[in-house]
Amino acid sequence: MTTLVLGLNGSPRREGNSEFLLREALRGAASKGASIVQVDLAFMDVSPCRACDACFSDGRCSLRDDMDQLYGLMEKADAIIIASPIYFSGMSSHTKTVVDRCQALWARRNVLKEARAPGDGAIILVAAQPNAKFDNALSELRAFLIGIGVRPTEKMTLGGLDRKGMVADMPASLERAFDIGRSLVPDINASP
Ligand SMILES: Cc1cc2nc3c(=O)[nH]c(=O)nc-3n(C[C@H](O)[C@H](O)[C@H](O)COP(=O)(O)O)c2cc1C
């Protein structure tokens, strides 16, 4: 069966640095035969989690918005790549809003014991400062992936990226992102 790799873009800048690296990662996954889907979180209609705990009873969120489609994709994906800019030393608010809404997926796994098939995950973070701090976002996104049953196996952090899309002129970084995408897809054609 074809591997599905889901890419979540947490930047509100079209053709921003997060998106360029995410696209390369998805291209890498596609180069090994995976189906790929990119979702631009900043352009979705997603309300913040209200902590109503409804998902603890049946795994369903009580809110009706674009998360309805994303939950299904996230459960189906064999691998998930999250790309976000650093905003005030954390992930973007667009990313965090979706992360919190995945409390429903956390509840399915950890409260209702409906485990999803295990998958692999990658985290890509970009920031303007050359010595930017990535620890907060990395720690939160790792906890998130583990919480929904995805192993965070790869990460890429890149500072010094201020201007929109400037990473497009950095071939070594694009190549690293491409390789991350490839590494998420099992080599089903490998000889025994
Ligand atoms: C609201 C806001 C907060 C930011 N905070 C930080 C920060 O704390 N550290 C940093 O190095 N860059 C910060 N940046 C810069 C972005 O991380 C940087 O421009 C990044 O390349 C944007 O990625 P994108 O092109 O994918 O949107 C901030 C940008 C914005 C808009």
Side-chain angles (χ1 to χ4, degrees):
M1 216 169 60
T2 314
T3 302
L4 173 64
V5 179
L6 172 64
L8 305 178
N9 169 26
S11 171
R13 291 208 284 196
R14 294 243 187 236
E15 308 242 291
N17 298 309
S18 307
E19 185 173 14
F20 270 112
L21 292 174
L22 178 62
R23 271 198 218 154
E24 281 306 299
L26 290 173
R27 268 183 6 97
S31 76
K32 272 179 93 177
S35 297
I36 53 170
V37 177
Q38 178 180 326
V39 177
D40 299 307
L41 307 180
F43 304 102
M44 292 170 62
D45 172 26
V46 180
S47 301
C49 172
R50 293 196 184 153
C52 67
D53 291 349
C55 61
F56 284 23
S57 313
D58 61 2
R60 264 177 61 80
C61 182
S62 61
L63 301 172
R64 299 278 66 78
D65 56 23
D66 288 347
M67 283 304 294
D68 290 339
Q69 285 80 47
L70 193 51
Y71 288 132
L73 268 175
M74 291 188 68
E75 293 264 75
K76 225 167 50 177
D78 300 290
I80 297 177
I81 308 170
I82 307 177
S84 174
I86 291 293
Y87 283 179
F88 290 99
S89 297
M91 71 186 86
S92 72
S93 53
H94 315 85
T95 312
K96 185 64 163 72
T97 302
V98 168
V99 162
D100 288 351
R101 284 289 301 283
C102 287
Q103 176 80 331
L105 302 185
W106 181 91
R108 283 177 206 178
R109 180 179 161 76
N110 297 288
V111 179
L112 304 171
K113 309 293 179 196
E114 297 167 4
R116 87 196 284 291
D120 286 338
I123 300 167
I124 298 175
L125 296 169
V126 297
Q129 293 168 349
N131 61 347
K133 293 231 173 300
F134 294 101
D135 298 5
N136 297 335
L138 271 178
S139 147
E140 290 186 353
L141 286 170
R142 281 201 187 107
F144 162 62
L145 288 173
I146 292 166
I148 63 167
V150 173
R151 284 181 300 265
T153 54
E154 294 284 348
K155 67 152 184 176
M156 176 176 182
T157 58
L158 200 55
L161 295 176
D162 199 3
R163 192 165 36 82
K164 177 171 127 168
M166 66 188 285
V167 78
D169 298 323
M170 299 169 65
S173 298
L174 296 176
E175 201 176 317
R176 165 85 182 115
F178 186 91
D179 289 345
I180 284 178
R182 277 187 69 80
S183 75
L184 294 174
V185 183
D187 193 355
I188 50 171
N189 296 317
S191 319

